């Protein structure tokens, strides 16, 4: 297996030429990761925002606003439920037809599913069929997101200098605030420019159509990297190819569970500072949605600034220690969250800005924190399924659970929900440390 800084030779016309790892520098990989992730997050945030501002009235008009939002959040969760299935289907396609074919098919499905949502009739025109079509399109998004795993984050971490792996791990996560910023900006523009009747009639469809153009750009940006000889060479050197589930689970399936729970606090926080608070504020004051979305735009900018800081700090103290410290910080935030979110506009502003900063600091290092536990030939599949399970356990049902409990028992439920994620993260990190210590002793 090659190590950073090694050289390798490839046939050339003319004299033999020596090529170095600089032909596929970490910076080049990072560009593909950021563009790809930003497009995926854009698609998902468009759906999340629409679940609050649009879907209760358009697809669930037979229910009150709260119940309609809860129904929309259940549909929202479907994508995360089927995402592991999409990952496995995508890896099967990769074995038979190649990595670029898989990526093209996945992003095409993602774009078509998102655009298809913008073309759907509402409940007034199609009845319950409209809801089933919305759910089907959401399942398509989830399958596509799982299938779009390209291994770039793992390749980025393995090619990064050992003392800067926290920095390069952060770059892959930077797509989250960028995707949210663009999605919120597009929705805010349409929402603020139209009368309520026009927005609910046709205006809400525009952000979904925009997603197709963004996905086309992202597809070509990622394919430009993925189809290169250097990329394939690096993937082969690091054994970053699909592994069969029947081999992975008995050998190292426990690392998938540990990795998912190790990032649970950050993933739980993810939707509890992006999607959930918008639903809570909109239900309390429908006229204040646009002002709150502006505050969330500012919060996304704060998160984007905080993420580079996470890389610098994690490289100093170690990523696992950093994750533990951030879990504790999220726990402290959870204790004050009800007072901030329920404290009028000043408190809501504090909730958003502090929450997004914490999200940037924690989520910037949440991916792949225990990926190194996997044996090389299991790492590609193990990293993908670990991320899938983290989304499913931590983020999929967070908006619907938080909104349901908060509407019944008050915002204190939000604290308890976040604290449960903190406990899971700290326990998982502790177990991971013990496993590593035991492995060192055995060696």
């Amino acid at each position: 297996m090659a190590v950073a800084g090694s050289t390798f030779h490839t046939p050339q016309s003319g004299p033999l030429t020596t090529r170095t790892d600089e032909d596929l520098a970490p910076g080049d990989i990072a560009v593909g990761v950021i563009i790809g992730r930003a497009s995926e997050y854009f698609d998902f945030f468009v759906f999340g925002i629409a679940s609050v501002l649009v879907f209760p009235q358009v697809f669930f008009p037979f229910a009150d606003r709260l119940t309609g939002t809860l129904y929309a959040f259940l549909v929202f969760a479907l994508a995360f439920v089927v995402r592991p299935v999409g990952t496995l289907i995508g890896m099967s396609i990769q074995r038979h037809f190649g990595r670029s074919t898989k990526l093209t098919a996945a992003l095409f499905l993602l774009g078509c599913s998102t655009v298809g949502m913008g073309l759907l009739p509402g409940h007034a025109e199609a009845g319950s069929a409209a809801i089933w079509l919305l759910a089907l399109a959401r399942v398509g998004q989830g399958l596509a997101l799982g299938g779009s795993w390209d291994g770039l984050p793992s390749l980025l971490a393995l090619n990064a200098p050992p003392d800067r792996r926290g920095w390069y791990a952060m770059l892959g996560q930077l797509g989250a605030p960028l995707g949210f910023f663009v999605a919120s900006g597009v929705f805010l523009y349409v929402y603020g420019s139209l009368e309520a009747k026009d927005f609910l009639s046709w205006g809400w469809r525009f952000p979904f159509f925009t997603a197709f153009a963004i996905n086309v750009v992202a597809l070509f940006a990622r394919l430009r990297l993925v189809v290169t000889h250097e990329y394939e060479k690096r993937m082969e050197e690091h054994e970053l190819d699909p592994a069969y589930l029947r081999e992975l689970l008995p050998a190292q399936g426990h690392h998938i569970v540990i990795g998912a729970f190790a990032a649970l606090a950050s993933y739980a926080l993810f939707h509890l500072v992006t999607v959930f608070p918008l639903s809570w504020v909109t239900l309390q004051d429908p006229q204040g949605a646009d002002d709150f979305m502006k505050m969330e735009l500012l919060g996304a900018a704060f998160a984007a600034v905080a993420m580079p800081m996470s890389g610098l700090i994690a490289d100093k103290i170690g990523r696992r220690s950093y994750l533990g410290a951030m879990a504790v910080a999220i726990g402290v935030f959870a204790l004050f969250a009800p007072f901030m979110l329920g404290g009028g506009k000043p408190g809501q502003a504090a909730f958003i800005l502090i929450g997004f900063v914490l999200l940037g600091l924690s989520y910037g290092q949440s991916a792949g924190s225990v990926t190194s536990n996997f044996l090389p030939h299991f790492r590609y599949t193990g990293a993908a399924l670990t991320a899938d399970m983290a989304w499913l356990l931590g983020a999929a049902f967070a908006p619907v659970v938080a909104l349901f409990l908060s509407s019944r028992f008050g915002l204190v439920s939000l604290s308890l929900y976040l604290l449960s994620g903190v406990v899971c993260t700290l326990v998982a990190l502790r177990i991971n440390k013990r496993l590593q210590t035991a492995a060192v002793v055995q060696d």
Side-chain angles (χ1 to χ4, degrees):
M1 182 178 295
V3 295
S6 65
T7 61
F8 62 93
H9 303 283
T10 55
Q12 303 284 335
S13 58
L16 188 65
T17 303
T18 299
R19 308 182 70 186
T20 69
D21 280 356
E22 292 179 353
D23 291 322
L24 192 59
D28 296 330
I29 306 172
V31 171
V33 173
I34 293 172
I35 293 175
R37 296 297 177 267
S39 69
E40 294 165 0
Y41 285 117
F42 176 85
D43 285 34
F44 269 57
F45 280 127
V46 164
F47 191 98
I49 296 170
S51 295
V52 176
L53 301 180
V54 179
F55 295 161
Q57 298 97 309
V58 174
F59 291 96
F60 306 103
F62 51 84
D64 61 79
R65 185 68 181 267
L66 171 62
T67 305
T69 304
L70 291 172
Y71 287 155
F73 280 161
L74 286 174
V75 179
F76 177 77
L78 286 177
F80 302 99
V81 174
V82 302
R83 177 171 167 164
V85 178
T87 296
L88 297 177
I89 293 175
M91 291 187 178
S92 178
I93 294 174
Q94 181 176 330
R95 292 190 194 98
H96 292 88
F97 304 103
R99 206 182 309 268
S100 59
T101 299
K102 179 193 79 167
L103 185 59
T104 302
L107 290 184
F108 181 77
L109 176 60
L110 180 62
C112 289
S113 297
T114 306
V115 171
M117 292 173 181
L119 298 172
L120 291 178
H123 189 274
E125 294 80 25
S128 59
I131 300 174
W132 286 107
L133 290 173
L134 178 66
L136 180 63
R138 183 60 176 168
V139 167
Q141 280 189 323
L143 293 174
L145 186 59
S148 68
W149 176 253
D150 50 23
L152 284 174
S154 295
L155 186 64
L156 178 61
L158 291 169
N159 277 269
D163 60 341
R164 299 198 68 195
R165 285 181 177 166
W167 173 264
Y168 283 102
M170 170 276 303
L171 292 176
Q173 306 297 80
L174 195 57
L178 295 179
F180 181 79
F181 187 89
V182 176
S184 295
V186 172
F187 247 113
L188 179 61
Y189 173 77
V190 177
Y191 184 79
S193 301
L194 299 174
E195 297 291 335
K197 181 179 179 181
D198 292 331
F199 173 75
L200 292 176
S201 176
W202 56 269
W204 67 270
R205 303 175 187 273
F206 176 75
F208 288 87
F209 298 149
T210 305
F212 188 79
I214 292 177
N215 274 282
V216 169
V217 173
L219 173 62
F220 282 103
R222 293 168 78 176
L223 285 179
R224 180 177 175 272
L225 179 63
V226 169
V227 300
T228 60
H229 170 75
E230 290 80 7
Y231 175 84
E232 290 294 343
K233 179 71 174 179
R234 291 296 185 273
M235 299 296 279
E236 292 171 4
E237 288 174 346
H238 293 299
E239 301 182 50
L240 294 177
D241 288 308
Y244 287 100
L245 202 61
R246 63 176 181 270
E247 299 173 353
L248 169 61
L249 292 183
Q252 294 197 299
H254 59 285
H255 287 311
I256 296 176
V257 179
I258 294 172
F261 279 102
L264 202 65
S266 179
Y267 279 77
L269 182 67
F270 194 93
H271 284 149
L272 295 184
V273 299
T274 55
V275 178
F276 164 73
L278 179 61
S279 68
W280 181 262
V281 170
T282 302
L283 287 169
Q284 304 299 317
D285 178 20
Q287 304 303 318
D290 52 350
D291 289 337
F292 193 78
M293 290 175 69
K294 293 175 183 177
M295 185 58 62
E296 287 196 316
L297 276 177
L298 181 59
F302 276 37
V305 173
M307 277 194 178
M309 296 172 58
S310 77
L312 296 174
I313 300 172
D315 284 332
K316 294 292 184 182
I317 67 174
R319 293 185 65 199
R320 294 184 184 91
S321 298
Y322 179 84
L323 268 180
M326 290 312 306
V328 173
I330 292 173
V332 175
F333 172 77
L335 296 176
F336 293 95
F339 304 101
M340 291 186 288
L341 193 55
K345 290 189 175 182
Q348 292 166 3
F351 177 89
I352 289 299
L353 297 182
I354 297 174
F356 267 97
V357 169
L358 279 176
L359 180 63
L361 291 172
S362 62
Y363 189 67
Q365 298 299 314
S366 64
S369 56
V370 298
T371 302
S372 58
N373 292 345
F374 291 104
L375 294 172
H377 58 287
F378 289 142
R379 186 169 292 143
Y380 181 79
T381 305
L385 291 177
T386 299
D388 292 345
M389 294 306 298
W391 281 113
L392 177 58
L393 297 174
F397 295 97
V400 67
V401 171
L403 182 58
F404 175 78
L405 292 178
S406 296
S407 63
R408 291 292 184 92
F409 307 108
L411 286 171
V412 67
S413 305
L414 182 63
S415 294
L416 297 177
Y417 190 91
L418 267 176
L419 287 172
S420 67
V422 169
V423 171
C424 289
T425 290
L426 294 175
V427 170
L429 290 173
R430 181 65 177 173
I431 292 174
N432 182 64
K433 183 178 180 179
R434 288 184 176 179
L435 289 175
Q436 287 188 317
T437 302
V440 171
V441 171
Q442 289 178 359
D443 290 341

